[in-house]
Structures are given as structure tokens and as C-alpha cells.
């Protein structure tokens, strides 16, 4: 099953909405992963080491850092959500992704939501 890692900037309501709807999903919060103060490359490395798709609102710098990161490493992937996306809609899209795809499909891919 797909495993998600919330970036430090991700609305915690999204994580809660996903976990509320699918309690057995593995969606680690930024707090659980101790991401506060880490740079984008460090966050990407941590998510990669743990085999987690990074979920972020950072449309400004994360795509650039992701492109650099995958030049030397494999990444489980990144999903970028706009800040304006309602948590319920974001949860629906993340749950759909988790239900119809497998981890290998996301390696070194970035996806911008909404679907």
C-alpha cells in the first residue's frame, strides 16, 4: 500500500481527513517525522529513505528540489496540492491514488492536484 509523508507546510486537516476515512493508511505527519526546520532536499531524502510519497503545498520550491534530487537518487514521488484545495477534496484525491495505484508507479514522479 502507498505510504504518505506530510511536508511541514501541509494543512494538518488533510492528514486527519485521510486517516479518518481510512484508518489503516500509513500517512505520517510532519510532526511525527520531525520535519520542522529541515530543508526541501533533507525532507525529500527522509521521505525517500522511508519509502513515502511526500505530500506538500510547496509549489514554489519543491518541484525544483525534486528535479535535482532525482538526478542522483530515486524518490517514491511527490504530490503537490494547492493551498486553496479543501481538505475533503484533497483527502478524496489522495485516497483515490492510494486505492488504484502501487508504490512503483510513483517512483521519480511528481503530481499536481487536483486530479
Amino acid at each position: 500500500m502507498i505510504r504518505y509523508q506530510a511536508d511541514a507546510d501541509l494543512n494538518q486537516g488533510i492528514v486527519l481527513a485521510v486517516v479518518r476515512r481510512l484508518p489503516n493508511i500509513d500517512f505520517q505527519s510532519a510532526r511525527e517525522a520531525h520535519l520542522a526546520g529541515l530543508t526541501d532536499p533533507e525532507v525529500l531524502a527522509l521521505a525517500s529513505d522511508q519509502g513515502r510519497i511526500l505530500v506538500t503545498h510547496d509549489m514554489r520550491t519543491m518541484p525544483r528540489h525534486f528535479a535535482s534530487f532525482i538526478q542522483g537518487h530515486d524518490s517514491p514521488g511527490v504530490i503537490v496540492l494547492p493551498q486553496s484545495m479543501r481538505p475533503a477534496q484533497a483527502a478524496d484525491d489522495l485516497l483515490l491514488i492510494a486505492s488504484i495505484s502501487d508504490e512503483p508507479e510513483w517512483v521519480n514522479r511528481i503530481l499536481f492536484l487536483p486530479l
Side-chain angles (χ1 to χ4, degrees), residues 91-106:
D92 287 346
D93 286 358
L94 291 170
L95 288 167
L96 178 63
I97 289 166
S99 70
I100 64 169
S101 61
D102 295 316
E103 289 178 1
E105 296 175 56
W106 293 98

Side-chain angles (χ1 to χ4, degrees), residues 6-7 12-13 15 18-19 21-22 34 46 54 62 65 68 72-74 76-77 83 85 88 97-98 101 107 109-110:
D7 197 359
Q12 183 65 25
V15 177
V18 169
V19 172
R21 292 181 188 173
L22 186 62
H34 307 288
L46 184 110
L54 182 66
M62 190 57 76
H65 286 126
S68 294
H73 310 88
D74 279 336
Q83 288 275 355
M85 192 171 192
I97 289 166
S101 61
V107 173
R109 291 187 57 203
I110 189 168

